[in-house]
Amino acid sequence: MLKPNGKKTQKQQVSALTLKLDLLFQSFRRRVASYEALPQLALLGFLSGLATGLVILLFRAAIELPLGYLLPGDSAENFEQLTPLMQFCLPIVGALILALWLMRLGVQQRKVGVTHVMERLGYHQGYISLRSGLLQFFCGVATLATGQSAGREGPAVHLGATSSSLLGQWMGLPNNSIRMLVGCGTAAAVSASFNTPIAGVIFAMEVVMLEYTINGFTPIILAAVTAAVVSQPIYGDDPAFVVPNFSLNSLVELPYIVAVAILIGMCSALFVKIISQTMEKVKTPILWRLLAAGLLTGLAALALPQIMGIGYDTVNDAIAGNIGFLLLLTIALAKLLVTATTIGLGMPSGIIGPTLFIGATLGGALGVLANMLMPTLASEPGFYAVLGMGAMMGSVLQAPLAAIMAVIELTRNPNVILPAMLIIIVSSLIASHYFRQRSVFLTILQLQGLDYRAEPLTLALRRVAVGAIMERSIKRTQQKLVWGEAKELLRTEPRWIIIESEGGPRAILPAADLARYLTEEEGKPEFNPEEASLDLLSIPAQRRDVASLHVQATLEEALDRLNATGVEALYVERTTAPLIKPIIGVITRADLESYYQYKSK
């Protein structure tokens, strides 16, 4: 309805704009339903990287600005210069703040970090809520600003995945694209945090997505590169750590490096074991668990304040060779025990950063020992610190390729490639084969009663939405028709006829079966088209019972829906307005089987 002056009302203008946006996105949604729409997926990767990069800048600023005022000196990690009273009290106060906030939420609402992202991918098609992202932002800032033994990369992954998932939800994209966007957000977050785009891509695909595909690389690489470009004007193009131009002094060191790898693999297994045992055995309310975690961190900080916060200043000192053997070893063990125990108690801490800290300090200590044992042959202690950092990360996450790429990008030194590959592969093998250790994230998910599936069939069906293979040539009609209506129904040569009754669609039948029946009946001498009528549920035809499915669903969801309902076909709906869901296609079990067999060749 127009106003007297002929202009549209504000409500009409908003409705018209919404309709235009919906029409604009319809073609785009239809294309990205297929995993082969590379230009469209590349655009999504760019948008994901842009959004994630901005969110990570905001997150880091929220941590570093208050710490810049709180901590002495000009460093946002200088917890060592706090008074002993502050070192003891700060983690406890932070734990109390977190506990009072989290105890108001249900158990399912408290989940944050990489494990939560993997859960949403595995069980909810990558849908992550804004509320979850805001909770992670608060928890990440609170843990790191109050000196908890934590890292920022885990929270960053959650925030990147959330911003990308919300982008896909706002655009109304099919679920396969939302899943891909979560992978893009993950890669972009790691890239923006470390300035390591390649490691971000491999981490997303090896740890979170659990798959490598050629088409998947394109949007994820663009997301990682875009996020790095967004963060570099603020933090520069240098990596997170200052690494001299190290090299392996002698091949004689290789057996010693293998021995270091074995020890780090054992420490990795111990780290994951402490987390799992603490989660299993400590079942007290969240308030007491977090207070215990804060108290443990505060007590440890009195003797070793280096374990507080992210600790990358200590990692840089270990790489530079500025810390002695005994202190390095003590810091490494303290960080391992405190971090694993507090995470097991429920502290919403990131895991990736502490693994780098533990690996760097433990590797640095063993590097100092190597120089004592082989003074003329051993490489510098900092060289071993870099190798230990990669070995611990690869072993704890069970992501050797991501760890290798991280070491290469962090050092920007080709001389470390051979020893890094050796130590990372051996340490990961020791942890997984001899100690039966899975990725720390998969271990936590298993303790929560969740199984993160990665079978080839499941992964293949998750990559594509039903809109990519469904049959769109359909006609809808009532169960009973007169002859002329049936002939008109076939005029446009549809593939499927959807038979409706009072309760909605009841079955589908091939249009060819209806055409065959009409031809046979018309050939009978007594046939009279003016008196003839037919019941589509009674004529000879290969009918299939049906159930509904939304167009955003993946092929995996379609298969699950078929198995749950026991039908052989699904009619696909698209929501255009509240309570208005036009049917736009049909997909059968045979379509799913044909698709997978085609892709398997």
Side-chain angles (χ1 to χ4, degrees):
M1 183 176 182
L2 297 178
K3 288 184 177 181
N5 59 7
K7 293 184 179 180
K8 292 183 178 179
T9 64
Q10 184 177 5
K11 185 176 181 180
Q12 288 174 319
Q13 291 174 343
V14 171
S15 298
L17 179 60
T18 303
L19 180 60
K20 288 180 181 178
L21 287 174
D22 186 63
L23 292 174
L24 177 66
F25 285 138
Q26 275 187 32
S27 175
F28 188 82
R29 295 183 192 117
R30 183 170 177 175
R31 289 180 178 273
V32 297
S34 169
Y35 205 62
E36 299 174 355
L38 280 181
Q40 292 77 18
L41 295 176
L43 175 61
L44 291 178
F46 168 75
L47 294 175
S48 169
L50 185 62
T52 299
L54 294 173
V55 169
I56 299 306
L57 287 180
L58 179 62
F59 178 60
R60 292 186 64 171
I63 297 168
E64 294 167 2
L65 289 177
L67 285 178
Y69 288 102
L70 176 66
L71 302 181
D74 56 356
S75 172
E77 298 183 40
N78 197 16
F79 288 97
E80 294 87 345
Q81 297 301 315
L82 289 175
T83 64
L85 180 62
M86 282 291 291
Q87 291 168 351
F88 175 72
C89 293
L90 189 60
I92 298 175
V93 172
L96 179 60
I97 293 171
L98 283 165
L100 292 175
W101 180 264
L102 293 176
M103 64 186 297
R104 302 166 54 195
L105 306 175
V107 175
Q108 295 299 319
Q109 296 174 319
R110 299 172 190 161
K111 295 181 178 181
V112 293
V114 178
T115 52
H116 182 64
V117 172
M118 295 172 69
E119 177 188 345
R120 300 305 297 182
L121 266 178
Y123 291 86
H124 304 279
Q125 302 300 329
Y127 281 70
I128 307 175
S129 67
L130 176 61
R131 180 176 181 177
S132 170
L134 293 175
L135 175 65
Q136 175 63 92
F137 192 95
F138 167 77
C139 289
V141 172
T143 52
L144 293 169
T146 59
Q148 310 298 332
S149 181
R152 67 167 176 251
E153 289 71 33
V157 166
H158 187 159
L159 293 172
T162 300
S163 59
S164 299
S165 176
L166 291 173
L167 173 66
Q169 294 175 52
W170 175 76
M171 295 176 70
L173 299 180
N175 293 349
N176 68 313
S177 300
I178 292 178
R179 293 178 58 83
M180 185 275 297
L181 278 169
V182 170
C184 290
T186 298
V190 174
S191 173
S193 295
F194 284 125
N195 197 21
T196 52
I198 300 177
V201 171
I202 303 302
F203 177 86
M205 305 196 81
E206 186 177 26
V207 177
V208 177
M209 306 294 287
L210 295 184
E211 63 172 328
Y212 293 97
T213 60
I214 299 300
N215 288 350
F217 270 113
T218 300
I220 291 178
I221 288 174
L222 276 173
V225 171
T226 304
V229 170
V230 170
S231 66
Q232 283 182 6
I234 306 299
Y235 293 101
D237 62 352
D238 294 325
F241 307 109
V242 180
V243 182
N245 191 27
F246 292 128
S247 63
L248 183 69
N249 277 359
S250 171
L251 292 177
V252 177
E253 291 182 85
L254 292 181
Y256 185 79
I257 289 175
V258 171
V260 172
I262 294 172
L263 182 58
I264 290 179
M266 296 169 63
C267 290
S268 165
L270 176 63
F271 181 79
V272 177
K273 188 70 173 179
I274 293 173
I275 292 176
S276 61
Q277 289 293 304
T278 307
M279 289 182 68
E280 281 186 305
K281 295 182 178 180
V282 182
K283 300 295 184 181
T284 55
I286 186 70
L287 174 63
W288 304 115
R289 283 188 281 124
L290 289 190
L291 284 178
L295 179 61
L296 175 62
T297 305
L299 289 172
L302 286 174
L304 299 166
Q306 293 90 345
I307 69 162
M308 298 180 71
I310 301 174
Y312 286 172
D313 55 341
T314 303
V315 172
N316 279 319
D317 285 339
I319 294 173
N322 296 333
I323 308 177
F325 171 77
L326 188 59
L327 183 57
L328 281 170
L329 187 61
T330 307
I331 292 172
L333 294 176
K335 187 77 170 181
L336 187 153
L337 295 172
V338 170
T339 305
T341 304
T342 55
I343 289 174
L345 289 171
M347 184 64 69
S349 304
I351 294 176
I352 302 172
T355 64
L356 297 175
F357 183 105
I358 296 165
T361 50
L362 184 58
L366 295 173
V368 174
L369 182 61
N371 277 264
M372 294 178 184
L373 298 175
M374 304 177 291
T376 60
L377 297 176
S379 301
E380 297 178 52
F383 178 74
Y384 282 89
V386 171
L387 296 183
M389 187 165 54
M392 192 68 180
M393 174 185 173
S395 185
V396 170
L397 305 185
Q398 283 298 298
L401 185 56
I404 291 170
M405 296 311 304
V407 169
I408 293 173
E409 284 192 288
L410 288 171
T411 61
R412 299 182 181 178
N413 181 0
N415 296 323
V416 304
I417 295 178
L418 187 149
M421 292 174 69
L422 177 64
I423 193 172
I424 290 170
I425 293 300
V426 172
S427 63
S428 299
L429 182 63
I430 291 296
S432 62
H433 183 71
Y434 290 100
F435 293 96
R436 307 297 182 197
Q437 177 209 312
R438 302 178 72 191
S439 161
V440 64
F441 302 126
L442 294 178
T443 300
I444 293 173
L445 284 173
Q446 187 175 24
L447 290 170
Q448 295 173 353
L450 303 174
D451 180 24
Y452 195 63
R453 295 179 294 169
E455 296 88 353
L457 173 60
T458 301
L459 294 175
L461 296 180
R462 284 175 176 174
R463 296 185 197 121
V464 180
V466 294
I469 69 169
M470 70 181 183
E471 179 58 62
R472 297 174 183 270
S473 179
I474 60 173
K475 283 291 185 179
R476 301 172 63 180
T477 186
Q478 294 299 314
Q479 174 183 342
K480 296 183 179 181
L481 302 173
V482 298
W483 206 262
E485 291 174 332
K487 296 290 285 185
E488 177 64 22
L489 201 62
L490 297 174
R491 186 177 60 81
T492 58
E493 300 182 351
R495 170 81 184 279
W496 291 101
I497 305 295
I498 301 177
I499 307 169
E500 304 208 24
S501 61
E502 294 181 0
R506 286 190 59 184
I508 62 171
L509 65 81
D513 286 3
L514 176 59
R516 187 181 305 111
Y517 175 77
L518 295 181
T519 301
E520 291 174 354
E521 290 297 308
E522 289 173 348
K524 295 179 180 180
E526 67 275 12
F527 174 74
N528 184 353
E530 296 182 357
E531 298 179 357
S533 63
L534 66 159
D535 186 336
L536 294 182
L537 292 179
S538 300
I539 66 172
Q542 295 181 342
R543 282 175 292 272
R544 293 168 174 82
D545 292 335
V546 292
S548 64
L549 186 72
H550 197 272
V551 69
Q552 288 182 288
T554 63
L555 298 188
E556 180 201 20
E557 292 176 279
L559 182 60
D560 291 342
R561 179 73 169 152
L562 288 170
N563 293 335
T565 57
V567 301
E568 288 298 313
L570 302 167
Y571 60 89
V572 182
E573 301 175 316
R574 177 171 61 87
T575 303
T576 57
L579 303 179
I580 300 177
K581 297 181 179 181
I583 297 175
I584 59 173
V586 165
I587 186 169
T588 66
R589 186 182 294 273
D591 293 332
L592 293 176
E593 293 172 353
S594 297
Y595 171 81
Y596 181 67
Q597 289 171 3
Y598 167 74
K599 286 297 181 181
S600 300
K601 292 179 181 179

